Amino acid sequence: MSPVTETATHRVFAPSANIALLKESATIAVSARAKALRAAGRTVIDLGAGEPDFDTPEFIRRAAQRAIDAGATHYTATEGILPLREAVVALAAAEYHGDEPITPADVVVSNGSKQSLFNACFVLFGPGDEVLIPTPSWTSYYEMVALARAEAVPVHGDPTNGLKVTAAMLADAATPATKGLMLNSPCNPTGSVYDRSELAAILALAEERGWWVISDDIYRQIAYAGVAPSLLELAGSRDRLVVIDGVAKAYAMTGWRIGWAIAPRPVAAAMSALQSHTTSNAAAVSQHAALAALTEREAAGDAIARMVREFHARRDAVVAALADEPRLPFVYPEGAFYLYLDVSATRGDERSGAGTRFARHLLDAHGAAVVPGAAFLTPDWVRLSYAAPRDQVLEGVRRAITAFRELAP
Ligand code: PLP
């Protein structure tokens, strides 16, 4: 494109009302900046990314290769191949003991769990609706709710309890317009895990108020006291529950783009109809890879255990390294692969929050990338991902402590 055309386009392009409030994903923006610095010859430790640094296990890669040779190169049903939906049902049915058994018709396979989350928001919420989002939460929840033209209502969690919310906090934030809530445990960005009693209280409130609950279970298997509790295990009914999961994190399969939703049948049908007009099915070969991940349980169990063991060891190492700087508080991570640091002591007179200044200083002066907490509506914090080799993670933490001491002498 010539520079003249580009200028003209810039002049005439007025974003539609659909994306008026849309912000670039801050987590992706940080990784892009780190990559750009690397391309310019700097050595950068990237602790910004939210993806496992392991290869997809070999048995899954082999299954995908076999599937290609067997012809998995065509469209599939929009909602995904039946064996994969059956595999999702088999795993979920082992946990769910409420009314209305789960069937493959309640499952929609999508291009990553991100698409399932978006589709769920888009079919359940609309103008005039308020959606409660425990905060901090993953940056995309706020944007997805806004894209549905509903209002995201951040409910700030308790810093003395892992920045988690309670049922009482959600009740306080609710109005007659509240239509639902989004929950993520283990949580990105804090690594906090909701225990059974916390989840049961939230579920009881949602049931009493008739709210939809979207439970994002993507990190459930990456938890250090065993698989994290799920709303699915506790729910007596699935009438207003949508459970989202996928293979990206637990199986180190981010690039394959397979997620799914388990939803009440009419909701699943609406999500599938929406997807049929946007992306159609998730890639056929990826669905077969995910099928292997979900059905070859012994190999999958070994692979997950190996990765979780390593994340666990890094978590312990990071927490031990932070003992060097007692003025730097953090949420004790019980799952996922994130460490959430409170850098409010470095606050200057900037408006953007201490986290943004800290992250910029850490990247520019010390070559380590972390995500500013503004992305998660908590601007005095930063998120450090320990999904990177252990020596790099520890070096990143040392540099973060140095940066902290420079900004908060
Ligand atoms: N949910 C949360 C909380 C995440 O952190 C992420 C990815 O970072 C996703 C969902 C998206 O995962 P997927 O790769 O399955 O779309």
Side-chain angles (χ1 to χ4, degrees), residues 40-371:
R42 291 269 309 272
T43 336
V44 174
I45 296 179
D46 186 359
L47 305 183
E51 70 171 324
D53 53 311
F54 306 109
D55 281 340
T56 299
E58 190 181 348
F59 78 94
I60 298 174
R61 288 185 273 132
R62 293 273 171 272
Q65 284 158 355
R66 284 196 304 273
I68 292 175
D69 291 339
T73 56
H74 298 272
Y75 290 134
T76 73
T78 295
E79 63 274 20
I81 56 173
L82 184 59
L84 178 55
R85 287 181 291 122
E86 285 172 340
V88 169
V89 170
L91 291 176
E95 301 197 306
Y96 177 68
H97 305 292
D99 302 338
E100 272 224 42
I102 304 168
T103 76
D106 307 326
V107 177
V108 184
V109 174
S110 59
N111 295 272
S113 65
K114 200 173 210 174
Q115 186 180 27
S116 283
L117 286 160
F118 173 81
N119 287 349
C121 287
F122 210 74
V123 307
L124 292 176
F125 309 129
D129 295 336
E130 294 178 5
V131 182
L132 304 179
I133 305 190
T135 296
S137 265
W138 185 42
T139 184
S140 293
Y141 294 166
Y142 307 98
E143 302 297 330
M144 289 173 181
V145 169
L147 283 168
R149 309 235 196 155
E151 191 181 339
V153 178
V155 183
H156 284 271
D158 177 0
T160 66
N161 187 30
L163 289 170
K164 290 186 279 188
V165 299
T166 59
M169 291 164 134
L170 293 168
D172 276 352
T175 74
T178 303
K179 186 90 181 282
L181 70 100
M182 303 186 69
L183 205 68
N184 175 221
S185 173
C187 172
N188 176 4
T190 58
S192 286
V193 173
Y194 284 77
D195 67 27
R196 282 198 168 70
S197 66
E198 291 166 330
L199 288 181
I202 291 171
L203 194 61
L205 174 71
E207 276 171 6
E208 176 200 311
R209 304 285 175 100
W211 296 338
W212 288 101
V213 179
I214 299 179
S215 179
D216 179 351
D217 289 7
I218 194 78
Y219 294 105
R220 259 190 82 208
Q221 298 192 65
I222 306 175
Y224 307 127
V227 175
S230 148
L231 286 177
L232 199 62
E233 295 169 295
L234 302 169
S237 132
R238 298 189 295 114
D239 284 353
R240 288 178 181 272
L241 176 63
V242 179
V243 175
I244 312 274
D245 206 342
V247 291
K249 313 286 179 174
Y251 299 88
M253 290 178 71
T254 45
W256 299 79
R257 311 307 303 131
I258 296 291
W260 56 82
I262 303 172
R265 193 145 326 158
V267 178
M271 290 173 66
S272 184
L274 172 62
Q275 189 167 307
S276 77
H277 293 297
T278 53
T279 59
S280 300
N281 60 277
V285 61
S286 295
Q287 292 189 58
H288 285 275
L291 178 60
L294 297 197
T295 52
E296 295 185 33
R297 295 314 298 157
E298 202 178 318
D302 288 350
I304 293 172
R306 215 172 324 113
M307 292 188 269
V308 172
R309 249 196 323 273
E310 175 57 24
F311 285 135
H312 195 159
R314 290 179 198 168
R315 189 281 307 266
D316 290 347
V318 160
V319 166
L322 281 165
D324 267 2
E325 182 42 274
R327 294 180 307 143
L328 182 48
F330 58 90
V331 175
Y332 187 79
E334 300 170 304
F337 35 66
Y338 304 112
L339 179 85
Y340 213 42
L341 290 164
D342 174 359
V343 295
S344 53
T346 66
R347 176 176 266 295
D349 53 8
E350 74 286 341
R351 288 220 206 122
S352 52
T356 302
R357 175 169 175 248
F358 177 87
R360 182 161 282 268
H361 177 65
L362 180 59
L363 183 56
D364 291 346
H366 300 286
V370 296
V371 180

